[in-house]
Amino acid sequence: MDIETANALTTFTTRYCDAWQEKHGTWPQSAELYGVPSPCIISSLNESVIWQPKPNTGEQNVNAVERAMDLVVQSALHAFYTTQFAGDMTAHFNGVALTLLQTWSEDDLQRVQENLIGHLVTQKRLKLSPTLFIATLDSELDVISVCNLSGEVIKETIGTRNRDVLAPSLADFLTRLEPLL
């Protein structure tokens, strides 16, 4: 596993949870995840869940993506998707608001891998180099991804060649993220 990426992710998650604690006096809450089982859930109330990150003690890889697409996924992406279970977290990167995607449970990790496979199939069909998404933006057409060839974090418009490099690595990107509450 890519320890640098895993450490950068857990450090950002700690900053996010600390900011939430400071602002709201509680662990993070999510209405979107209400009713969805997870080891992260502390309690449920009024159609939202209070959650805290938990280490993923299961498989530490996204090998299903590798097998389905016959490609080797960057080690940083294995670490990103399997270091922990957590709710999605909102953040800023150089003034751009985004939602950092996280896996919520073992079942969610399987769903995420299926979505990554679908994303890669579309790219292959369009003859685009492979990327794996890590965050969403307000625009439904744009996502933050990791280029599987270079390891760079990019902003891309889905289904096009429009790609802007944001950071040289996933660890660098995560280190520069600021929580947005």
Side-chain angles (χ1 to χ4, degrees):
M1 177 180 300
D2 182 324
I3 298 300
E4 187 180 5
T5 299
N7 288 343
L9 178 60
T10 55
T11 299
F12 171 74
T13 303
T14 299
R15 289 195 327 263
Y16 181 85
C17 291
D18 289 350
W20 192 284
Q21 286 271 3
E22 189 174 305
K23 184 172 183 177
H24 300 286
T26 181
W27 286 96
Q29 293 183 30
S30 173
E32 293 85 12
L33 296 169
Y34 181 77
V36 182
S38 170
C40 300
I41 297 172
I42 298 171
S43 64
S44 298
L45 48 98
N46 297 338
E47 299 192 20
S48 69
V49 294
I50 298 172
W51 62 269
Q52 72 182 89
K54 296 286 184 189
N56 176 355
T57 57
E59 277 196 56
Q60 299 286 299
N61 60 62
V62 289
N63 286 349
V65 175
E66 292 185 329
R67 285 189 304 271
M69 298 306 300
D70 193 28
L71 63 84
V72 175
V73 172
Q74 292 265 339
S75 62
L77 286 158
H78 285 281
F80 178 78
Y81 283 111
T82 64
T83 294
Q84 66 185 13
F85 294 124
D88 294 344
M89 296 174 276
T90 50
H92 269 149
F93 182 83
N94 288 348
V96 176
L98 59 92
T99 301
L100 191 68
L101 302 174
Q102 290 291 279
T103 54
W104 184 237
S105 65
E106 287 287 342
D107 288 343
D108 191 41
L109 177 57
Q110 182 177 345
R111 181 193 61 78
V112 166
Q113 289 187 81
E114 290 167 0
N115 288 340
L116 289 169
I117 291 165
H119 179 71
L120 288 164
V121 165
T122 298
Q123 288 179 322
K124 189 172 187 176
R125 186 174 44 84
L126 297 173
K127 296 179 176 34
L128 299 171
S129 58
T131 64
L132 292 99
F133 53 81
I134 59 164
T136 59
L137 300 166
D138 286 339
S139 163
E140 292 181 11
L141 297 177
D142 295 320
V143 294
I144 305 295
S145 299
V146 174
C147 175
N148 199 53
L149 301 178
S150 68
E152 295 171 322
V153 177
I154 60 171
K155 176 184 170 191
E156 70 174 317
T157 302
I158 295 174
T160 73
R161 296 192 188 286
N162 297 345
R163 296 177 176 187
D164 298 315
V165 176
L166 301 177
S169 70
L170 185 48
D172 179 75
F173 176 81
L174 293 168
T175 300
R176 294 167 46 197
L177 275 184
E178 291 300 324
L180 172 63
L181 306 180

